[in-house]
Amino acid sequence: MALLSKKDANLIKDPLADNNPITIQVLGICSALAITAELKASVVMAIAVMFVLGVGNVVISAMRNIIPSKIRIIVQLIVVATLVIVVDQVLKAFAYPLSKTLSVFVGLIITNCIIMGRFEAFALGNGLWRSFLDGIGNSLGYGIILVIVGFFRELLGSGTLFGYPVFGDPIEKTGLYAFGYENNGFMIIPPAALIVVGIIIWVQRTRNPALVEEN
Amino acid sequence: MLEHIELFFRSIFIDNMVFAVFLGMCSYLAVSKKVATAVGLGAAVIFVLAVTVPLNWLLDRYLLQEGALSWLGPEYADYNLSFLSFILFIATIATMVQLVEIVVEKFSPSLYNSLGIFLPLIAVNCAILGGSLFMQSRQIETFGLAFNYGLSSGIGWFLAILSIAAIREKIRYSNVPAPLRGLGITFIITGLMGIGFQSFGGMLTGGDDAAEEAQETVIIETPVEENNDASKKEITENNSEIDEKEISYNNIKK
C-alpha cells in the first residue's frame, strides 16, 4: 500500500479484529442490536455510522486546538447531532420505508458511544488524515459485526437475505421447506441479537486467547 | 388515571429500555460489575430521565412540531421544525445534566459523591436521548404522561442494571468457559433475561381480538415488518393513533 504507511494501515486493520469497537471496546452496542433483524437495515446503519464518524472525526480534529476542554462534550454533541440530522433527512428523502424501520435508532447515532469514544480518544489528539482513517476503521469494525449479526438473524429467522428468499417459499413448501425445514422465529425477537453477539465474542476469543477477560 | 397506570407498567416491563429496545447498553455493560455502583448509576438515570423527558416534551410541543409555533401568531402556524429535534434534545440533555450536577453538588454533597462520575457520563447514555425520541415518536399526549414515561422508563432501566449486577456478582464464582468470561456471558445472560421479559408482553394488551386487528394495520403500515419490537408496540396502540401516523406519513411524502 503506497497510499498508507504501515502505521496508518493499522488504524484501519486493528478495529476490524483485535480491537473491535463492539466485541472488545464494548462501545456502540445500543444501536447495533436493535436494528439487526434484517441485513439491509444493518448495512444502512453501518454506512450511516461510517459517514458520521469519518466526517465527525475530521471536524473535531480540525477544531481540536480551539475547543476549550471544559465544554468539549457539548461541542462534540453538536457536531454529531448536525451530521446525524443530515443522515436522517437523506434517509427520509430517499429511503422512507427504511427510515421508518430504523425509527429512533438513526437519532440514537448521536449517543452511539463509538462516536464520542473515538472523538475523545483519537480525534482530539491527532491530525486530520489519521483521524479520518481511524473513523473509517472503527466504523468498519462496527459495520462488520452488524452485518454478521444481521446476516445470521435474517437468514435463520426469515429465510431471506436482503429480502430475497434463499431457502424457497415457506408457505408453498418449496426448496428446503419441502423437506420439513422451518424458520427459527426466535432469531427475529430482539434478545436473539444479544445471544448472536455473545457467540461472536465466544468464537473470537477462542481463536485469540489473549483477549480472554478475567471473570 | 388508568392510562397513567398502564403507561407506567408498560414502560417498566413491556417496553423495558434494556430488554426490549437495547438502550443504554454501553453503560449497562460497563458499570454492572458491582451492585453498589449499579444502584448509583440507575438512580442517576431515573432522575435525569424524569427531568429531561418532560422538558423535551415542552420543547416538542411548543417549538418543534408542525404548527407548534402558532402561539406566536397565525403567520407562524405553518412552520415545522421537527428536523431540529435531535440537536435541541441533546442540547437540553447536556445542559440539564450539567445543571443537575451543579445543583446536586451545592445542596447535597453526599448524593453528589454517591453519583460520582456517573452524572456527566449520562449525557451520552442512549437511554436518555432514546427516552426523549420515543416520547416524540409515540406522540405522548400530556405533560403528566411525559413525566410518567420518563420516570417509569428510568425505573425499568434501574431494574435491569440492578438485576444484571446481582447476577454478575454471583457468576464470578461459577466456572464459565474461558472465552465467554466477562463480556460474552453477560451478553448471553442479558439475552435470556430479555426472553424472560418478553413474557410480560401479554400483560396489558386487553384481549387477543384487539391485538390481531391492530396487527393487520401494522403490516400495511410498515411493509418491512421484521422490526419486531416496533410492531409489538404498535399492536397495542389503538387504530386511531396509527391513522394519525399514516396521515403524517403522507404529509412527509408530499
Side-chain angles (χ1 to χ4, degrees), chain A:
Chain A
M1 295 240 247
L3 185 63
L4 304 171
S5 69
K6 199 173 174 214
K7 216 168 134 200
D8 287 351
N10 280 342
L11 285 177
I12 298 230
K13 265 190 288 176
D14 275 354
L16 289 183
D18 289 350
N19 198 15
N20 188 284
I22 292 185
T23 61
I24 309 295
Q25 302 174 31
V26 208
L27 296 175
I29 295 156
C30 329
S31 57
L33 299 171
I35 45 94
T36 48
E38 193 194 47
L39 195 50
K40 201 172 163 193
S42 315
V43 172
V44 170
M45 190 70 180
I47 294 173
V49 168
M50 189 181 295
F51 170 77
V52 173
L53 189 50
V55 178
N57 250 0
V58 169
V59 173
I60 292 292
S61 171
M63 299 198 301
R64 68 185 186 279
N65 293 327
I66 52 168
I67 302 176
S69 71
K70 271 191 175 169
I71 59 160
R72 67 180 192 283
I73 302 272
I74 292 179
V75 174
Q76 289 164 4
L77 283 173
I78 298 296
V79 170
V80 191
T82 316
L83 291 168
V84 171
I85 289 175
V86 173
V87 170
D88 186 47
Q89 297 294 316
V90 168
L91 275 181
K92 273 190 180 143
F94 295 106
Y96 193 76
L98 204 60
S99 92
K100 275 270 138 182
T101 316
L102 294 175
S103 69
V104 302
F105 290 99
V106 179
L108 287 174
I109 297 178
I110 298 173
T111 47
N112 190 323
C113 333
I114 292 182
I115 294 178
M116 298 297 282
R118 290 331 289 174
F119 284 2
E120 281 284 300
F122 202 91
L124 278 176
N126 286 282
L128 293 180
W129 175 236
R130 301 196 68 210
S131 301
F132 178 71
L133 289 180
D134 180 76
I136 298 295
N138 275 283
S139 46
L140 277 178
Y142 169 85
I144 267 189
I145 301 291
L146 246 71
V147 169
I148 295 175
V149 178
F151 175 82
F152 283 112
R153 284 184 74 193
E154 191 178 348
L155 187 69
L156 301 177
S158 333
T160 57
L161 282 178
F162 288 110
Y164 296 108
V166 176
F167 295 145
D169 193 326
I171 298 161
E172 304 196 349
K173 300 277 174 212
T174 58
L176 261 186
Y177 297 100
F179 303 105
Y181 176 80
E182 288 289 340
N183 285 329
N184 185 358
F186 171 72
M187 298 304 282
I188 297 288
I189 62 171
L194 284 162
I195 294 178
V196 175
V197 176
I199 293 171
I200 293 176
I201 293 174
W202 192 355
V203 172
Q204 191 184 25
R205 287 177 195 192
T206 311
R207 289 164 55 107
N208 185 354
L211 299 174
V212 170
E213 293 172 54
E214 287 294 304
N215 212 350

Side-chain angles (χ1 to χ4, degrees), chain B residues 173-207:
Chain B
Y173 307 109
S174 316
N175 190 12
V176 181
L180 269 181
R181 274 183 199 147
L183 190 58
I185 196 71
T186 314
F187 265 101
I188 290 178
I189 291 172
T190 311
L192 295 177
M193 287 163 80
I195 294 170
F197 264 68
Q198 296 248 314
S199 59
F200 288 115
M203 200 162 71
L204 293 169
T205 48

Side-chain angles (χ1 to χ4, degrees), chain B residues 86-123:
Chain B
F86 292 159
I87 209 164
L88 268 183
F89 284 180
I90 198 71
T92 315
I93 289 168
T95 322
M96 270 319 295
V97 169
Q98 203 87 58
L99 260 182
V100 165
E101 199 184 343
I102 295 168
V103 170
V104 170
E105 189 182 9
K106 174 95 174 114
F107 291 104
S108 171
S110 61
L111 180 65
Y112 180 77
N113 286 334
S114 66
L115 293 181
I117 64 155
F118 299 130
L119 260 180
L121 273 184
I122 277 180

